[in-house]
Amino acid sequence: MSGEHNKITASGRIEIVKQKARPNVVDYISRIFDDFIEFRGDRAFGDDQAILGGIARLGDIPVTVIGHHKGKNTQENIDFNFAMAHPEGYRKALRLMKQAEKFHRPIICFVDTPGAYCGIGAEERGQGEAIAKSLQVMMALETPVITIVTGEGGSGGALGLAVANKVYMLENAVYSVISPKGFASILWKDATREKEAAELLKMTAQDLYDAHIIEGIIPEPEEGAHKDVKQMCKNIEAVLRQDLAELTGISGQELAQLRYEKFRHMGVFLER
Amino acid sequence: MLIDLFKKTRYISVDLDYNERQKELGPLVVCPFCKKSMRAKEYEQRLHQCQHCGKYGRLNPEQRLAITVDEGSFQLMNENVYTTNPLDFKGYEEKIAVLQEKTGCTEAVTTGVGTILGEKTCIAVMNSEFLMASMGSVVGERLTRLFEYATEERLPVIIFCASGGARMHEGILSLMQMAKVSGAAGKHSQAGLLYITVLTDPTTGGVTASFAMLGDVILAEKNATIGFAGRRVIEGTIGTELPKDFQTAEFVEKHGFVDKVVSRQELKEVLAKILKLHRLEAGN
Ligand SMILES: [Zn+2]
């Protein structure tokens, strides 16, 4: 990262990742992997297009790829519900993850969502249960899991695809328990203090890296990933190849244990 | 004149009786739901159920434990884990100190081990009086340690859930507690041990989206609000008002996410019965 780039505020980064021109999961999949085949449906209720998943190849390694799907235009955004998944989206993702585990395929997740969808159907079909199950099952998967937060890491909706052995964030990506606007309106009863909240929440890639929540930051081209998608994909691919080489050498049981221990130590408290 | 005097005397004596009687009956409380008043003593005897509208008042851990565990059996655990201010959020430490003073609790969850009608179990009670029982690092750590202890000692775990969601004051760390506790519950489950959640009013947000929904058995108290997103958030998204029964225990049961809605009066016996059946099944 250049020194200049390091100075972008959290709010500035939020603006960058919310741009329409920002690459989406299809841009990444098509440039990083070969032979991608989309698999759809949760085998119970339906197919939620807010999450895209399937199998592909990274070099010689077959992998399962799953990611939040943001649209490139209005119609796509409606179809994909602005990447805000319903319970069936998380259940599809989980089905594909269990499938990956069965066939010893590493799992690669791309996170880019404002959050899990809040609506009547989502409540009726158990949004809470769907995310809860994702967290618990992902934690115990006996196969490598790598997550890359490429844009917006919106709370539980992001975490549902991010209980991984390695979690990375693109340089401008953000990841937070609540949106700055939500934070400001709930804790300060003043939504206009959004920008102040964005800084306080420590939600940038650098903040999360410093807090030992993520393994690394993947550099973006000057001015953001959309300026050179090819280069962005090269940067991501390099990280994936290096990690897969490392993680595929570890037994499934050990991978699950390492993942558990990593999350086990998250939290800041005092002890008498 | 005589009549007047008699009347007056009588009036005074009735007044004294009245005051005396009021004193004996004790203070009044107001139902948080229907706003009607009743005697505190009777309200307590009815386990904080309103005699007018039938709804349950929220219980703090002390009150919950008093009606749940066998007298003198509960041993507090994990109280040595306490809160700091990871985001340097202005006023957070002061807020915690005030709440500690006010509630007599050190954080938003009370954990320990005790017996219910003789059945030994680990128990956690979340406290809606403490920052809406939001989950920060300490809530996550205490629950994780409770699961670890239960796994080690081969004990069941019961969590009385209540929460407004994540502890926003702690930022991303509070989100990570969801994964941490779910993982610890998973380890406990892999060891073949029983986990029961009791969803009480209100169970929402990150707690619903993690350990609250992971029980082998999920019970809910009548009328409790249970959901993922807040009612107002959903109304804001869809632009209309939601039906009254939306996100009630009964609604969640109807949609298949709760095993059984229980009355507060029967809860202790139901829990003991489930614990006993699992103990027998385990062949001990
Ligand atoms: Zn009432």
Side-chain angles (χ1 to χ4, degrees):
Chain A
M1 274 188 286
S2 67
E4 245 342 271
H5 217 171
N6 222 341
K7 283 181 201 146
I8 304 175
T9 60
S11 308
R13 294 188 197 275
I14 294 169
E15 264 171 51
I16 292 174
V17 298
K18 280 189 174 178
Q19 286 180 89
K20 272 224 171 85
R22 183 89 174 164
N24 72 3
V25 67
V26 173
D27 292 313
Y28 296 127
I29 290 176
S30 62
R31 285 171 179 81
I32 297 170
F33 305 93
D34 294 306
D35 299 336
F36 176 71
I37 306 169
E38 185 184 357
F39 290 160
R40 296 173 67 166
D42 70 342
R43 298 284 198 275
F45 178 81
D47 181 53
D48 184 353
Q49 294 194 62
I51 291 180
L52 174 85
I55 57 172
R57 187 162 58 75
L58 182 70
D60 292 333
I61 308 173
V63 293
T64 288
V65 189
I66 300 164
H68 295 102
H69 200 178
K70 275 195 179 165
K72 289 282 188 184
N73 52 52
T74 309
Q75 188 54 49
E76 280 191 357
N77 270 325
I78 293 167
D79 291 344
F80 310 155
N81 199 31
F82 299 87
M84 293 184 285
H86 279 76
E88 50 273 21
Y90 291 100
R91 293 187 183 122
K92 167 169 76 176
L94 206 50
R95 177 178 78 80
L96 296 179
M97 289 188 211
K98 289 301 285 181
Q99 185 190 65
E101 183 184 45
K102 174 178 174 181
F103 296 107
H104 310 289
R105 279 195 293 268
I107 298 162
I108 293 152
C109 295
F110 292 93
V111 166
D112 188 10
T113 178
Y117 189 64
C118 300
I120 295 175
E123 295 291 325
E124 287 176 338
R125 300 195 290 278
Q127 187 70 284
E129 194 272 350
I131 293 172
K133 203 50 79 55
S134 296
L135 307 183
Q136 190 167 62
V137 173
M138 274 191 97
M139 191 69 91
L141 286 169
E142 297 192 356
T143 198
V145 186
I146 303 168
T147 292
I148 297 165
V149 183
T150 59
E152 291 180 272
S155 198
L159 186 63
L161 295 186
V163 185
N165 291 92
K166 308 259 186 183
V167 180
Y168 294 92
M169 287 171 73
L170 301 196
E171 189 179 331
N172 289 312
V174 289
Y175 190 4
S176 175
V177 66
I178 187 170
S179 71
K181 198 174 180 174
F183 183 93
S185 58
I186 295 169
L187 286 184
W188 296 328
K189 315 275 175 237
D190 183 0
T192 62
R193 290 170 71 184
E194 193 177 343
K195 286 193 173 172
E196 192 185 336
E199 303 309 317
L200 181 86
L201 272 165
K202 299 202 173 93
M203 61 196 290
T204 68
Q206 191 64 50
D207 291 330
L208 269 84
Y209 182 74
D210 293 341
H212 307 287
I213 302 293
I214 61 169
E215 273 63 33
I217 302 167
I218 303 177
E220 291 188 25
E222 207 70 38
E223 290 175 63
H226 61 289
K227 287 289 179 186
D228 190 348
V229 181
K230 210 172 145 190
Q231 184 59 47
M232 187 68 256
C233 290
K234 271 189 186 164
N235 296 353
I236 295 173
E237 188 179 334
V239 169
L240 290 177
R241 281 181 182 272
Q242 193 188 328
D243 273 358
L244 285 181
E246 178 197 332
L247 295 176
T248 49
I250 304 173
S251 79
Q253 271 190 335
E254 203 177 328
L255 284 166
Q257 187 59 28
L258 288 169
R259 198 180 307 123
Y260 176 75
E261 277 164 19
K262 183 179 87 163
F263 284 92
R264 171 68 189 89
H265 291 104
M266 288 183 188
V268 173
F269 53 86
L270 301 170
E271 201 164 357
R272 271 181 256 263
Chain B
M1 248 170 69
L2 264 173
I3 291 166
D4 273 350
L5 184 67
F6 177 73
K7 264 189 179 166
K8 204 175 179 182
T9 316
R10 205 180 140 198
Y11 179 72
I12 289 163
S13 91
V14 166
D15 198 31
L16 276 174
D17 278 354
Y18 180 79
N19 281 336
E20 215 38 44
R21 210 169 57 237
Q22 294 304 305
K23 219 176 179 181
E24 233 167 72
L25 289 170
L28 291 165
V29 287
V30 174
C31 169
F33 302 99
C34 70
K35 312 288 175 205
K36 287 181 182 163
S37 63
M38 64 209 119
R39 294 290 160 199
K41 216 193 273 175
E42 282 171 31
Y43 183 57
E44 219 164 279
Q45 276 164 3
R46 293 171 62 94
L47 312 181
H48 293 238
Q49 183 179 28
C50 172
Q51 63 194 64
H52 306 291
C53 70
K55 290 194 176 169
Y56 299 122
R58 293 171 182 172
L59 298 180
N60 63 35
E62 192 187 344
Q63 294 164 330
R64 174 64 70 181
L65 289 167
I67 67 165
T68 306
V69 299
D70 301 330
E71 213 181 324
S73 75
F74 189 75
Q75 286 170 280
L76 260 179
M77 288 166 60
N78 307 315
E79 288 290 306
N80 55 325
V81 176
Y82 64 103
T83 302
T84 178
N85 189 0
L87 288 189
D88 294 322
F89 184 82
K90 207 175 151 215
Y92 183 46
E93 282 146 314
E94 291 79 359
K95 197 165 215 166
I96 295 287
V98 167
L99 282 165
Q100 286 173 337
E101 182 75 21
K102 207 171 122 190
T103 64
C105 292
T106 52
E107 245 290 349
V109 72
T110 298
T111 60
V113 62
T115 62
I116 300 174
L117 298 176
E119 301 291 333
K120 193 174 180 187
T121 182
C122 285
I123 302 172
V125 186
M126 302 187 77
N127 188 352
S128 62
E129 293 173 1
F130 204 106
L131 277 175
M132 254 337 283
S134 53
M135 175 158 62
S137 296
V138 168
V139 170
E141 184 67 20
R142 285 184 182 178
L143 290 173
T144 300
R145 288 187 188 197
L146 191 72
F147 273 114
E148 287 170 344
Y149 175 82
T151 307
E152 187 80 13
E153 300 291 320
R154 300 204 59 78
L155 288 170
V157 172
I158 298 174
I159 302 183
F160 289 88
C161 300
S163 187
R167 181 77 56 87
M168 291 169 289
H169 313 69
E170 295 187 20
I172 196 76
L173 291 168
S174 64
L175 188 71
M176 295 303 142
Q177 303 311 306
M178 291 166 62
K180 180 165 112 180
V181 179
S182 299
K187 291 255 171 202
H188 181 257
S189 182
Q190 282 164 20
L193 300 164
L194 172 67
Y195 171 35
I196 303 172
T197 56
V198 183
L199 313 184
T200 72
D201 190 60
T203 299
T204 62
V207 166
T208 299
S210 61
F211 60 87
M213 283 291 163
L214 293 173
D216 296 296
V217 179
I218 303 178
L219 305 176
E221 260 192 349
K222 272 185 184 171
N223 268 318
T225 294
I226 299 160
F228 171 66
R231 194 184 178 87
R232 265 171 298 169
V233 174
I234 299 171
E235 285 178 340
T237 309
I238 62 171
T240 52
E241 222 172 279
L242 291 161
K244 256 204 165 135
D245 74 329
F246 188 70
Q247 293 184 322
T248 57
E250 293 73 14
F251 171 94
V252 180
E253 184 190 46
K254 192 179 96 187
H255 286 96
F257 292 96
V258 154
D259 286 284
K260 188 177 168 62
V261 173
V262 287
S263 72
R264 192 169 280 172
Q265 284 74 14
E266 66 179 337
L267 186 52
K268 181 175 178 171
E269 272 180 55
V270 170
L271 285 172
K273 201 184 278 181
I274 295 169
L275 289 171
K276 186 179 166 192
L277 285 172
H278 283 79
R279 182 169 51 79
L280 294 175
E281 209 177 64
N284 294 328

